[in-house]
Amino acid sequence: MSQFKQKEEAVAFKFKVVDDLKQLAELWPRTDRCGSSSHCYAFQCADILEVWCDTIGRARRTKTMFVGVFDDIGRPILLLPLGIERRCGFRVLSFLDGGVSDYNAPIVFDPVQTWERQTLDRFWSGLIAVLPTFDVAIFDKMPADICGVPNPIIGLASAPYDPSGHLVNITRSWEEYAATRLPYKRESSAQRRRLAKLGQVVFTVAQTPVDRQRVLEAMMRQKSQRYIETLGVDGFDRPGYRQYCISMVERFTWPGPLVISALEVDGKILSTNWGLIRNGRFIGIVMSFESGDEWKRFSPGRLLLEDLLKWNFTNGTSIFDFGIGDESYKVAYTDETLPLYEANIAVTAIGRVYQIGKTRTWRRLKAAILRTTKRSGALQRAIRKATTRW
């Protein structure tokens, strides 16, 4: 990142705050229009955010604010997709996420600078002044690196955020990677042979509306079952989440940013994967698989992952990003970790109360996890209580 660092100059920040993304459309990058001078993750692209606003944002009653930050002669510096929500009576400012964004970050324009404390304080004071009143800002899942350039606001972060992201940098051929880096090769080959005895094994990237809808239905069924087995609740019941997934499939046809893939045996979908691809970076978002003993022994999720990796290696992708999560299998495949950070900033006295309460809640949750390793019912109740409350 040092190659991007420049000597910091005094910046006179100017802000433009709108509640409709269309009012900044000429600046805001989309998945199909990158912009030569802007840097961002797919989650912050305008067309992805539009789906979010129409589904999750509406269901959560989020007050959305799209912020343009400019220098004193009107050149763009940052774009910020923000929202204020009521949580337990507190007004909380955050990035537009709701559980569907792996990385939360601003859109950054060239020339990119690393901000020192004085500049960061002036930015934060100016931002507070132009936004509606809020009690506390929670900026979580923030990477210090935005697709190769520094994140200027990372200095707001006060602590690391667990978990991290994990990446494969595609700098060699698939054959080289498979020969030297691909884990579980022997087990996977044996499982593919056994699976092939039951029918034709096919990896597919869904392209037609009918196929994409078919994979969507399989993903939602498989993922719902997994949510209920592990958490005791269906994650698709979160406000707007189910409609978000449906709308993503309806709005993004193939070819496009939404890559929907599946592993099938004689037409039966055993595993699915959803990912976003932009500027040569694929980010895996959702993986699902059949969890019954009949199919679990074949590790269909792992077989699909290997096929998807190969597809990305051979289709011009430069980074295969496993997304957020420190599962051990990700570490086995990847060669780089993307650390994430969290900022928790109270701006009112009542916001400080929220900070204290949130910290105590998560401490109790961690303690419950340690106490109930083998008592899954108690663990599920603890997770439900903490995540619902905060």
Side-chain angles (χ1 to χ4, degrees):
M1 250 185 333
S2 60
Q3 69 206 67
F4 298 103
K5 189 170 182 178
Q6 303 178 8
K7 183 178 181 180
E8 186 174 18
E9 300 176 359
V11 180
F13 294 112
K14 294 182 178 180
F15 297 87
K16 180 178 180 179
V17 182
V18 300
D19 58 9
D20 187 345
L21 193 52
K22 293 183 177 64
Q23 294 175 265
L24 287 169
E26 73 281 1
L27 284 177
W28 213 289
R30 302 175 65 88
T31 58
D32 59 354
R33 191 192 70 219
C34 300
S36 59
S37 64
S38 63
H39 309 269
C40 72
Y41 289 98
F43 304 106
Q44 284 78 50
C45 285
D47 42 355
I48 303 291
L49 290 172
E50 287 166 357
V51 179
W52 191 96
C53 290
D54 291 343
T55 56
I56 293 174
R58 183 174 297 165
R60 292 169 66 109
R61 299 181 180 179
T62 306
K63 180 177 178 59
T64 56
M65 295 154 295
F66 301 97
V67 183
V69 184
F70 305 86
D71 65 14
D72 54 358
I73 61 173
R75 292 177 300 191
I77 301 172
L78 299 178
L79 298 172
L80 296 158
L82 302 176
I84 295 177
E85 295 178 347
R86 286 275 182 177
R87 302 181 190 176
C88 304
F90 301 90
R91 295 162 298 186
V92 180
L93 176 74
S94 65
F95 283 101
L96 302 183
D97 181 353
V100 295
S101 174
D102 282 18
Y103 307 132
N104 293 322
I107 296 160
V108 183
F109 290 82
D110 291 331
V112 180
Q113 295 185 359
T114 301
W115 289 351
E116 296 177 355
R117 190 74 244 174
Q118 185 177 11
T119 301
L120 194 61
D121 289 343
R122 284 193 290 108
F123 160 79
W124 183 241
S125 297
L127 184 63
I128 292 174
V130 298
L131 292 179
T133 303
F134 62 94
D135 299 308
V136 62
I138 306 293
F139 296 151
D140 58 9
K141 296 188 281 187
M142 284 200 302
D145 177 292
I146 303 174
C147 298
V149 302
N151 180 355
I153 70 169
I154 197 63
L156 295 174
S158 55
Y161 181 87
D162 292 328
S164 305
H166 297 274
L167 325 174
V168 176
N169 291 292
I170 301 178
T171 58
R172 47 190 160 172
S173 69
W174 168 252
E175 289 72 23
E176 291 174 301
Y177 176 84
T180 61
R181 191 69 177 84
L182 185 67
Y184 315 117
K185 287 183 290 186
R186 183 174 299 177
E187 297 93 326
S188 295
S189 295
Q191 287 165 326
R192 286 185 189 275
R193 289 193 298 269
R194 290 196 297 269
L195 195 57
K197 294 178 181 179
L198 302 180
Q200 184 180 13
V201 181
V202 176
F203 163 76
T204 181
V205 173
Q207 299 184 15
T208 69
V210 171
D211 282 344
R212 289 166 79 83
Q213 180 65 29
R214 187 171 66 95
V215 178
L216 166 67
E217 292 172 357
M219 184 274 284
M220 295 179 76
R221 175 182 57 79
Q222 292 171 356
K223 200 67 178 177
S224 289
Q225 182 177 351
R226 184 65 175 169
Y227 278 133
I228 293 169
E229 288 174 352
T230 56
L231 298 178
V233 293
D234 188 348
F236 286 106
D237 291 339
R238 288 174 287 175
Y241 191 82
R242 189 182 305 274
Q243 189 57 47
Y244 175 84
C245 295
I246 293 171
S247 295
M248 287 286 285
V249 174
E250 291 176 346
R251 296 196 194 184
F252 295 111
T253 57
W254 181 261
L258 181 61
V259 181
I260 304 174
S261 58
L263 182 75
E264 306 180 40
V265 174
D266 278 356
K268 179 176 177 58
I269 296 175
L270 301 188
S271 182
T272 76
N273 187 286
W274 280 38
L276 291 174
I277 192 164
R278 178 183 181 273
N279 268 10
R281 188 188 194 107
F282 173 89
I283 304 179
I285 302 173
V286 179
M287 174 171 280
S288 71
F289 52 86
E290 293 290 342
S291 57
D293 291 339
E294 177 185 5
W295 301 110
K296 190 175 180 180
R297 60 194 176 98
F298 296 107
S299 300
R302 186 173 73 210
L303 299 185
L304 171 59
L305 176 59
E306 292 177 0
D307 289 336
L308 185 59
L309 268 166
K310 182 178 180 180
W311 182 87
N312 275 274
F313 264 80
T314 56
N315 281 273
T317 304
S318 56
I319 295 176
F320 188 99
D321 189 333
F322 280 74
I324 192 169
D326 289 331
E327 295 87 347
S328 59
Y329 78 89
K330 294 182 180 180
V331 177
Y333 285 95
T334 58
D335 52 26
E336 183 179 342
T337 298
L338 180 64
L340 303 176
Y341 301 88
E342 178 177 16
N344 189 327
I345 310 168
V347 298
T348 66
I350 196 172
R352 181 57 183 157
V353 173
Y354 180 92
Q355 276 185 321
I356 295 170
K358 187 173 187 291
T359 300
R360 288 176 177 172
T361 296
W362 285 109
R363 284 176 179 170
R364 287 196 295 268
L365 175 59
K366 290 179 181 179
I369 291 173
L370 293 175
R371 291 196 306 268
T372 60
T373 303
K374 297 182 179 180
R375 292 183 293 168
S376 59
L379 176 57
Q380 291 167 7
R381 288 191 295 273
I383 293 173
R384 284 200 302 272
K385 181 177 179 181
T387 54
T388 300
R389 181 177 180 185
W390 295 100

